[in-house]
């Protein structure tokens, strides 16, 4: 049975249900920002890797050399290169892999084992992703950064703009794939599951909840959201397409821009105070797309900032949206039925990141919003960001600014065409 979309207010959302959803409180008084040399925050969100999958072997981090497969403990494998299988990473897959905190059932996930090889319980080595390791080595690596929602991409991307998933616990089911869209302009009949007052309802993935972009606009703080435009597969991750009052306003034309224009904008002296940067599928790191190509795309975007006048005043937060079906040995904290998902990598890249540092503090996507709110004197969106630990604790704004780290994109082997069995 398909139920109609529950009406939402553009300014506030109050939903009930055992702490699953929270009141979106756009009217909270702004707080004065501490003096800071950081005037720009760039939030780069890539796809589908657990912390252990990328950095299990990183010196000083809470990594692992083994994986738990049921009652067995085995050496963690090496992730095949240049690409790997797309392991199922839905909410049910997370619940199965985490297995009540035992963290020992990832090998049983659909598509975890292909051609007799257990892809899920593997990790990359430094030689496979040298530039990601270079950023983590030079700047600050957060090794207890958890995906907010125990689910796949769509709800976690919602959190990155609204500090809540609105009870959404999975990706939209599209009635048509031409063109791909997970938001307000999706094909008729596209629905997403949402938990409201303990009940599962199917709704159109088009909401009116106050976002940090609304807070920024109200306080005359500039923002831009760079993402693949309609017609590209990566458009499914263009989250403001799911926020009705932005999708159908002039802000959609002026502030939601093609991700291909980001580097050029920076080179021409244009960088907003708050920026989200979302790649298209082939360079997103989403298995089985080439990790090398995805890493190169990331390097090109970060090089653009480091070569610009903005480097001295920028914090780049590089993270991945969900675990992608890959093993992680650290039990996620539990707040409610939806929170939290497994760890994902997060690297803080800035002149004011603590150099050669691994931060063991517990963070999540709301930790980035909390920092942005504090820095630019924006109101809180929900009790999620209000209670979150700010990533500002990983910075030292009084230190001598670190120089840029210009990296060279690598030559990549040919990769297979990405499959679209889950995002």
């Amino acid at each position: 049975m398909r139920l109609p979309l529950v009406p939402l207010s553009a300014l506030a959302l109050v939903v009930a249900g055992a702490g699953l959803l929270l009141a979106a409180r756009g009217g909270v008084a702004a707080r004065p920002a501490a003096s800071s040399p950081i005037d720009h925050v760039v939030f780069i969100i890539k796809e589908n890797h657990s912390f252990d999958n990328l950095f299990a072997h990183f010196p000083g981090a809470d990594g692992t050399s083994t994986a738990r497969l049921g009652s067995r403990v085995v050496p963690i494998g090496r992730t095949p290169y240049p690409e790997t299988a797309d392991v199922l990473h839905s909410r049910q897959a997370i619940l199965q892999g985490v297995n009540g905190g035992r963290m020992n059932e990832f090998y049983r996930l659909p598509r975890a084992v292909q051609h007799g090889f257990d892809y899920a319980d593997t990790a990359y080595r430094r030689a496979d992703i040298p530039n990601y390791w270079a950023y983590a080595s030079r700047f600050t690596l957060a090794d207890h950064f958890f995906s907010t929602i125990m689910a796949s991409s769509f709800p976690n991307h919602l959190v990155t703009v609204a500090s809540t998933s609105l009870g959404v616990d999975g990706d939209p089911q599209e009635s048509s794939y031409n063109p791909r869209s997970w938001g307000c302009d999706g094909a008729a009949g596209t629905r997403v599951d949402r938990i409201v007052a303990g009940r599962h309802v199917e709704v159109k993935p088009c909401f009116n909840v106050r976002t940090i972009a609304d807070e920024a606009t109200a306080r005359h703080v500039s923002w831009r959201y760079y993402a693949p435009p309609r017609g590209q597969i990566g458009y499914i991750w263009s989250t403001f397409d799911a926020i009705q009052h932005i999708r159908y306003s002039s802000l959609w034309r002026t502030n939601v821009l093609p991700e291909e224009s980001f580097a050029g904008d920076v080179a021409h002296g244009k960088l907003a105070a708050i920026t989200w940067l979302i790649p298209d599928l082939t360079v997103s790191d989403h298995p089985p797309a080439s990790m090398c190509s995805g890493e190169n795309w990331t390097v090109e975007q970060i090089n653009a900032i480091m070569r610009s006048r903005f480097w001295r005043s920028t914090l780049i937060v590089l993270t991945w949206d969900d675990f992608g079906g890959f093993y992680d040995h650290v039990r996620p904290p539990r707040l409610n039925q939806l929170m939290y998902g497994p760890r994902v990598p997060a690297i803080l890249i800035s002149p004011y990141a603590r150099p050669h540092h691994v931060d063991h503090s517990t963070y999540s996507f709301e930790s980035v919003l909390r920092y942005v709110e504090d820095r630019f004197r924006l109101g809180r969106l929900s009790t999620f960001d209000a209670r979150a630990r700010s990533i500002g604790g990983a910075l030292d704004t009084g230190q001598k600014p670190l120089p840029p780290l210009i990296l060279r994109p690598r030559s990549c082997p040919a990769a297979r065409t990405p499959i679209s069995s889950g995002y």
Side-chain angles (χ1 to χ4, degrees):
M1 177 180 180
R2 298 192 184 277
L3 300 179
L5 176 65
V6 178
L8 306 174
S9 165
L11 297 180
L13 172 69
V14 181
V15 280
L20 290 175
L21 304 178
L22 304 174
R25 303 174 301 161
V28 177
R31 296 152 306 287
S35 176
S36 174
I38 294 174
D39 295 324
H40 309 275
V41 179
V42 180
F43 197 1
I44 303 176
I45 307 168
K46 306 213 70 182
E47 289 293 310
N48 294 35
H49 291 276
S50 70
F51 182 87
D52 278 342
N53 182 239
L54 264 59
F55 294 116
H57 303 290
F58 193 88
D62 186 0
T64 183
S65 60
T66 61
R68 293 190 287 273
L69 279 64
S71 60
R72 295 183 296 140
V73 177
V74 303
I76 195 167
R78 184 169 185 167
T79 307
Y81 198 78
E83 67 270 333
T84 186
D86 183 27
V87 181
L88 187 67
H89 45 277
S90 65
R91 171 169 168 73
Q92 289 304 313
I94 297 175
L95 290 171
Q96 181 176 359
V98 169
N99 192 22
R102 299 175 185 86
M103 313 302 287
N104 65 350
E105 295 285 339
F106 294 87
Y107 75 109
R108 293 186 180 274
L109 302 185
R111 300 190 299 273
V113 177
Q114 295 192 20
H115 308 294
F117 182 80
D118 177 7
Y119 288 90
D121 296 280
T122 65
Y124 285 96
R125 302 311 197 255
R126 181 172 189 162
D128 301 327
I129 48 173
N131 287 335
Y132 285 147
W133 274 59
Y135 290 135
S137 299
R138 174 70 68 88
F139 300 103
T140 296
L141 175 66
D143 68 352
H144 282 77
F145 191 108
F146 293 87
S147 54
T148 296
I149 306 299
M150 189 176 281
S152 48
S153 291
F154 183 71
N156 280 297
H157 278 265
L158 283 173
V159 172
T160 67
V161 301
S163 188
T164 175
S165 77
L166 306 173
V168 171
D169 63 350
D171 295 337
Q173 300 301 305
E174 298 167 272
S175 59
S176 172
Y177 295 119
N178 188 21
R180 300 299 306 269
S181 171
W182 281 357
C184 295
D185 60 9
T190 297
R191 293 290 184 269
V192 69
D193 188 73
R194 186 166 170 245
I195 302 174
V196 179
R199 296 176 58 236
H200 289 266
V201 298
E202 291 184 3
V203 302
K204 182 178 180 180
C206 185
F207 308 101
N208 267 326
V209 61
R210 193 165 182 85
T211 70
I212 199 164
D214 297 304
E215 286 289 323
T217 298
R219 288 161 173 77
H220 307 289
V221 175
S222 61
W223 64 272
R224 298 289 184 273
Y225 191 99
Y226 291 86
R230 185 174 172 85
Q232 296 182 13
I233 296 178
Y235 183 63
I236 59 177
W237 301 312
S238 186
T239 306
F240 281 112
D241 180 35
I243 308 299
Q244 186 176 24
H245 64 272
I246 290 181
R247 177 62 183 88
Y248 296 116
S249 76
S250 60
L251 290 172
W252 180 257
R253 297 187 299 275
T254 58
N255 291 53
V256 181
L257 306 172
E259 111 283 345
E260 294 178 349
S261 64
F262 173 77
D265 282 354
V266 171
H268 288 90
K270 300 176 183 178
L271 182 63
I274 308 166
T275 299
W276 293 263
L277 181 55
I278 313 298
D280 200 11
L281 178 61
T282 56
V283 290
S284 69
D285 299 343
H286 189 298
S290 166
M291 197 68 168
C292 177
S293 296
E295 186 186 58
N296 281 350
W297 177 90
T298 306
V299 165
E300 290 166 358
Q301 313 313 308
I302 294 176
N303 279 351
I305 298 170
M306 290 183 168
R307 289 188 172 114
S308 76
R309 63 180 177 85
F310 299 114
W311 168 245
R312 289 290 294 259
S313 59
T314 295
L315 166 63
I316 302 166
V317 181
L318 171 62
T319 189
W320 285 255
D321 69 347
D322 69 64
F323 82 124
F326 290 106
Y327 179 77
D328 195 82
H329 78 282
V330 175
R331 177 178 183 169
R334 181 174 174 82
L335 180 62
N336 57 46
Q337 185 176 346
L338 290 180
M339 297 169 68
Y340 286 84
R343 292 188 304 170
V344 292
I347 308 172
L348 278 60
I349 302 168
S350 173
Y352 309 101
R354 299 179 190 273
H356 318 294
H357 180 64
V358 178
D359 189 329
H360 304 303
S361 303
T362 298
Y363 299 118
S364 59
F365 296 132
E366 310 95 281
S367 299
V368 182
L369 299 187
R370 174 65 182 261
Y371 176 79
V372 169
E373 291 163 357
D374 290 347
R375 174 60 192 90
F376 298 109
R377 295 177 292 184
L378 307 181
R380 302 287 185 233
L381 297 169
S382 74
T383 53
F384 288 160
D385 50 319
R387 69 184 294 169
R389 182 195 299 268
S390 168
I391 58 170
L395 306 174
D396 182 359
T397 56
Q399 71 184 19
K400 180 181 179 180
L402 301 177
L405 176 64
I406 305 297
L407 298 177
R408 180 179 298 178
R410 298 183 291 139
S411 297
C412 298
R416 291 182 291 158
T417 302
I419 59 177
S420 57
S421 53
Y423 297 97

